[in-house]
Amino acid sequence: MEKLKQSKAKYYVNKLAVKSEPGLTNTQLMLTNHDLKPVEPERRQWGPWNFVGFWVADSFNINTWMIASSMISGDDGIAWWQSWLCVWIGYTISGFFICLTGRIGATYHISFPVVGRASFGVWGSLWPVFNRAAMACIWYGVQAWIGGHCVKLMIRSIWTAFEDLPNTFPDQSTNTRDYVSFFLFWFFSLPAIWFPVHKIRHLFTVKAYFVPAAGLAFFIWAIRKADGLGPIVHQPSKATGSALAWGMVKGIMSSIANFATLIVNDPDFARFARKPKDALWSQFFTIPTGFAVTSFIGIIVSSSSAVIYGGNPVWNPLDLLDRFLEGANSGERFGVFMIASAFALAQLGTNIAANSISAGTDMTALLPRFLNIRRGGYICALVGLAMCPWNLLSSSNNFTTYLSAYSVFLSSIAGVIICDYYFVRKGYLQIRDLYSARPDSPYYFTFGFHWRGYAAYICGILINIVGFVGAIGKPVPAGATYIYNLNFFCGFIVASGTYYLFCRFFPIPATSTFWMEVGDEVEDPSVAYGADNEADRRSDGSPDRYGIKGDEEAGVREKKLGIF
């Protein structure tokens, strides 16, 4: 009887297990599955225009629309053109970092959790992965709540009485109208999680056409209602001297911080590129252009709102659309419906790209035997619903400030990974060993943890920790605030510099003395131990261990000297 129960339990466990390569050991089943292994050529379907569409679509979202508001408003606000210049500079720098991390994924066709194993160890990488997965789940709920506001506008455009829907919630943190809108957005987002990542590009292609067109229509409509551009374009900078300089620095850093998560997780998408070049210039030029155009539209529309309604500008586009519905005729309600639909699609795309896929990929690494990207994405959605995001956003505990500020600590992770790939290993990775927990693996380090990576990661955090406390409302020394104003750069430079010095004085295996990317040898991405040939399993960590093909087929091409 006991054996029967055990056999049934084993049967159900096997039924829950996700697709993986045959021949894997139990340990390898904790390190790989179909979604974690290198992307095979059949799924490398993202070309340069897919990346252009992806970033054009991602740039048109509510956060980008409002990115300049914190720079312009307030007693020490800067001029609109100065804030726009900050957006250009900040997102150009972000595009540079995106290309650096994305190239790793596009060259070796591996995701962020696997890339992190080279820098933090096969087991040590789980902490950065868990860290980012938890934040992605929280942000999913927050972004879905904002998407619910878009749905509320769509329903109000059709059914004006929806605004006065009776409230059945006992507390004041939310009401029935807002919760129904949020739940509808959350529910209708679920089908988008089902599609594999290499096919979800079609969603971003549709979004890249529809959302910018709606944003342009909103732009023209607001200018026509205001009979001009409004007062913001004529408003001079309120800050002067050092206050102006620091205001622009903070504006640039806020643009970069808005991209911190995507800088780390770009390999999750870039690994589906047909070739590395497809994920280079298409991202580098589209990111600053798309986000700057969206920010400019947000500035002008908000400026026009000050003329239309008087008083201070309305920076949140959804609040402005709420005002447009007051006394609107049928044509105006239709216009609000279309624009709100575009913003809802924008929120959906942003939530899928920055949160659902990121969390799904990370959860796949945390429990690869039972989770794939699809299952992880649905878990992320369930957490986003269960966390009741309206409670977080309605409280006065600076939670959103905490979430935004916390993202800068990802700069330490980015610093370690980029330094490891470009300056320590010089582009060389042994792919199969990234899926190996054998003690002789070059990425096993000390019991699977890389102390150099963790030491550098902690140093990158420590430089910003005091300023971070100040950002969430606690009194801190002025010097810490100035350092924190340069948060991403401080964390990145300290982490990468520390990591390089540690690896210089305490060398690590599997590095190259010259630039040597061997990603184009990833043709048959088998990671099972049995797939090794004798050349692959040498334990000296020398650069002729490819881990994908034998040396006879791969060959060492020493003429690869240029990074791009």
Side-chain angles (χ1 to χ4, degrees), residues 140 193 356 359-360 363 372-382:
Y140 187 95
I193 301 175
S356 173
M363 290 183 195
N372 54 22
I373 294 177
R374 180 181 292 159
R375 292 181 183 181
Y378 283 117
I379 291 173
C380 174
L382 288 173

Side-chain angles (χ1 to χ4, degrees), residues 87-399:
V87 171
W88 272 105
I89 296 172
Y91 282 103
T92 299
I93 295 171
S94 298
F96 174 73
F97 283 113
I98 282 283
C99 291
L100 288 179
T101 56
R103 181 173 179 83
I104 309 173
T107 300
Y108 289 97
H109 307 287
I110 53 177
S111 59
F112 160 72
V114 181
V115 172
R117 292 173 185 176
S119 308
F120 294 97
V122 291
W123 303 127
S125 63
L126 294 180
W127 167 247
V129 166
F130 171 79
N131 207 12
R132 201 191 61 161
M135 295 304 298
C137 290
I138 295 173
W139 271 115
Y140 187 95
V142 171
Q143 295 287 0
W145 181 254
I146 297 173
H149 194 165
C150 302
V151 173
K152 182 183 75 172
L153 286 167
M154 294 167 63
I155 298 175
R156 280 190 62 202
S157 301
I158 301 170
W159 180 30
T160 56
F162 185 70
E163 177 70 13
D164 301 317
L165 190 71
N167 182 30
T168 58
F169 276 71
D171 56 24
Q172 300 299 315
S173 57
T174 189
N175 54 58
T176 303
R177 177 200 63 209
D178 292 347
Y179 181 80
V180 168
S181 303
F182 160 69
F183 184 81
L184 287 173
F185 179 87
W186 177 89
F187 181 78
F188 286 108
S189 297
L190 297 180
I193 301 175
W194 179 264
F195 296 99
V197 181
H198 64 283
K199 292 184 178 179
I200 199 69
R201 68 189 192 281
H202 300 305
L203 169 65
F204 301 114
T205 301
V206 172
K207 182 183 171 186
Y209 285 103
F210 179 53
V211 178
L216 183 62
F218 196 6
F219 174 76
I220 296 171
W221 190 8
I223 292 176
R224 288 199 60 184
K225 285 177 74 75
D227 292 324
L229 300 180
I232 290 180
V233 295
H234 306 294
Q235 176 180 303
S237 173
K238 300 174 186 176
T240 57
S242 62
L244 173 60
W246 279 110
M248 293 192 69
V249 167
K250 287 190 284 187
I252 293 170
M253 298 312 300
S254 67
S255 299
I256 298 174
N258 197 37
F259 240 65
T261 300
L262 291 167
I263 287 172
V264 172
N265 87 294
D266 194 59
D268 295 346
F269 298 95
R271 65 185 176 135
F272 294 96
R274 298 187 185 114
K275 53 184 182 294
K277 190 177 180 180
D278 290 346
L280 177 58
W281 303 114
S282 57
Q283 298 195 95
F284 183 73
F285 289 115
T286 306
I287 288 171
T289 304
F291 283 83
V293 169
T294 304
S295 174
F296 177 77
I297 293 175
I299 292 170
I300 300 303
V301 171
S302 301
S303 178
S304 301
S305 70
V307 175
I308 299 170
Y309 297 106
N312 295 322
V314 181
W315 286 102
N316 188 327
L318 303 182
D319 291 341
L320 184 56
L321 289 174
D322 264 325
R323 301 285 292 271
F324 276 18
L325 281 176
E326 295 174 3
N329 58 37
S330 58
E332 290 172 329
R333 291 202 308 273
F334 177 75
V336 170
F337 177 86
M338 295 302 296
I339 295 171
S341 300
F343 276 119
L345 180 60
Q347 285 300 112
L348 171 63
T350 299
N351 226 6
I352 295 296
N355 299 319
S356 173
I357 292 177
S358 299
T361 305
D362 293 338
M363 290 183 195
T364 299
L366 294 175
L367 196 60
R369 188 169 184 180
F370 299 103
L371 293 180
N372 54 22
I373 294 177
R374 180 181 292 159
R375 292 181 183 181
Y378 283 117
I379 291 173
C380 174
L382 288 173
V383 173
L385 176 67
M387 61 178 269
C388 303
W390 56 88
N391 288 326
L392 302 178
L393 296 174
S394 65
S395 64
S396 58
N397 61 357
N398 291 324
F399 186 79

Side-chain angles (χ1 to χ4, degrees), residues 108 117-119 416-431 433-434 440-443 445 450 452 499-500 502-518 538-546 556 558:
Y108 289 97
R117 292 173 185 176
S119 308
V416 172
I417 289 175
I418 289 174
C419 180
D420 179 71
Y421 183 79
Y422 288 96
F423 298 102
V424 176
R425 303 188 187 277
K426 294 182 171 59
Y428 177 70
L429 293 176
Q430 297 173 183
I431 294 299
D433 286 313
L434 291 171
D440 68 336
S441 168
Y443 308 115
F445 301 108
H450 189 193
R452 302 165 190 81
Y499 183 80
Y500 181 81
F502 277 137
C503 292
R504 183 82 180 211
F505 289 105
F506 306 96
I508 60 176
T511 62
S512 175
T513 56
F514 50 86
W515 184 257
M516 190 175 72
E517 289 180 322
V518 293
R538 280 168 45 188
S539 60
D540 57 7
S542 59
D544 60 345
R545 265 178 78 197
Y546 283 83
V556 178
E558 299 183 3

Side-chain angles (χ1 to χ4, degrees), residues 21 32-41 43-44 105 108-111 114 271-272 431-432 434-435 522-527 547-548:
E21 178 185 343
T32 186
N33 62 23
H34 179 70
D35 284 338
L36 277 177
K37 66 184 297 187
V39 176
E40 61 276 8
R43 289 193 295 151
R44 300 172 195 170
Y108 289 97
H109 307 287
I110 53 177
S111 59
V114 181
R271 65 185 176 135
F272 294 96
I431 294 299
R432 184 175 292 129
L434 291 171
Y435 300 87
V522 183
E523 295 294 340
D524 179 21
S526 175
V527 298
I548 292 295

